Structure formats: C-alpha cells, structure tokens
Amino acid sequence: MTRSPASGRERERRCVASGEVRDEADLVRIALAPDGSVVPDLAAKLPGRGAWVSADRASVERAVARKAFNRAFGGPVTVPEDFAGTIERLLAERALNLMGLARRAGELAVGQDAVRLALKAARPAWRIEASDGAADGRSKLDRLARAAWGDVPVAGCFEAEAIGLALGRSPVVHASLSEGPQARAFSTVMRKLSGFRPLDPHGAGLAADAK
C-alpha cells in the first residue's frame, strides 16, 4: 500500500509482524536473495518482491518466530541467526557512512572547538557524542547547546574509534551535523536505529526527537 507521490506524504507499507500499516520511514524492507535467504534492504532498492517489518527489535524477532517472512514470500525462506542484530549493525554502519559523507560535504564540524563554534552559529540537526567520551567534555557542550537552542537530538551510541574510522581520522568524540541532505538521511536512519538501541544511552536521551 502506498500514498500518491503527488500528495507529498510518505509511502505506507504493511508490517509483516503486526499487520499494521505504517510509513516506510518506520519500517525496514526485507528482500529475498537467490539462495532463498532473507536480507535487509535498507535502501529499498533490491529487485524482486519485498517484505516490510517495523524497525524495532521486538517486531523483527516476532516476525522470525511466527515465520512471517515465509508467508510474505510465499514459501520457505532461510533467516540468518540474530537477524535483528544484523539489521541493527547495518543501520549503524549506514549512519556512520552518512557522517563521512557529511564531513566531505562540509556539513559536519569535528572536535570540541569546532563544535562550540558551530553551536554559536546555528542550530545543528544533530550533535554527535562518542559513547566512550569523557563526561566533563560533553557536559560543556550540553550546556551550550541547551542554552542556545534548547533540545537538540544527540547521537551518543557510537564509540569514538568507530566515528573516527568513518571520518578517516583518529578517534572522534565530538561532532555537530548541520542541516542538509546528509542530515535528513541521517535522521531517517537514526529513527530506525532507535528501535534497536538507545540513541544516547549516557546522556539526557533525545531519541524522541528522531521520531
């Protein structure tokens, strides 16, 4: 089920786990590989018939337990072990890749001093804080962002080394993502990732802003 592109609204799909019709932004497309195994299709571009499942761990695990993918594809399929974990990992990788694209596009400020300047200049789409960063360094930026802009979504679920690798540099603790195409794509991915892990486990937690 879809909405008319002319309406400007998001397309809708039916979740195989619950039967609920939801916006595509709240679901993950699952494709069927030639060998009969199901694979996450985050970009929703793989050929062939697809199935959709709500982007959260409980829904994916329910779909697997109830053999909902077998019904969706009209026959036996192979579901990899810890399928929900695979989806989570791929979403996290996609989010990190988008950080790298944003950096190359000049949409990502990196480092405490650069983030401080960025916060003074404009409201960011996202702040990025390494999950293993020092609390005192982050708290200063928390106060600055809150005073200037109120609640700003924080992605605090990636380690400094992983962020640094995505940006092609040494470990990164602080970053700020400005509004733009990469930020919009990042928000969509984080919206889905929030169903598998807390987006800011060591901070105030603004996961609701991703919804």
Side-chain angles (χ1 to χ4, degrees):
M1 179 182 300
T2 63
R3 295 180 180 180
S4 169
S7 71
R9 294 177 295 178
E10 292 185 73
R11 292 185 294 181
E12 291 182 331
R13 304 288 185 178
R14 189 178 301 278
C15 171
V16 298
S18 66
E20 180 183 1
V21 175
R22 307 184 65 184
D23 287 338
E24 268 190 22
D26 294 318
L27 300 108
V28 174
R29 184 178 189 267
I30 307 301
L32 187 64
D35 65 358
S37 62
V38 293
V39 295
D41 178 19
L42 301 188
K45 292 182 178 180
L46 291 178
R49 182 178 178 182
W52 295 80
V53 63
S54 294
D56 64 81
R57 183 176 300 278
S59 293
V60 175
E61 292 179 346
R62 187 181 307 118
V64 173
R66 296 178 178 177
K67 299 187 182 302
F69 296 122
N70 293 44
R71 292 193 297 275
F73 290 108
V77 301
T78 301
V79 181
E81 186 176 354
D82 191 18
F83 194 47
T86 297
I87 295 173
E88 177 185 1
R89 176 178 56 79
L90 292 175
L91 286 169
E93 289 176 358
R94 175 61 178 154
L96 289 165
N97 288 339
L98 287 167
M99 289 185 206
L101 292 173
R103 176 64 170 169
R104 291 191 287 276
E107 298 174 6
L108 191 75
V110 178
Q112 190 168 30
D113 291 340
V115 171
R116 186 182 297 110
L117 291 173
L119 286 173
K120 292 179 179 179
R123 187 185 193 279
W126 283 84
R127 287 176 53 218
I128 297 161
E129 296 289 337
S131 59
D132 51 346
D136 58 343
R138 170 173 173 170
S139 64
K140 296 175 182 177
L141 295 176
D142 282 343
R143 290 192 295 269
L144 177 59
R146 193 172 298 113
W149 309 108
D151 288 343
V152 175
V154 177
C157 57
F158 305 106
E159 293 184 350
E161 184 174 357
I163 299 171
L165 285 172
L167 303 183
R169 54 190 295 162
S170 56
V172 171
V173 175
H174 312 287
S176 177
L177 180 59
S178 59
E179 294 287 355
Q182 305 308 328
R184 290 190 289 274
F186 185 81
S187 293
T188 298
V189 173
M190 295 303 286
R191 176 172 171 169
K192 297 182 182 187
L193 185 59
S194 69
F196 297 86
R197 66 169 70 169
L199 296 189
D200 190 21
H202 303 305
L206 298 173
D209 277 14
K211 294 293 184 183

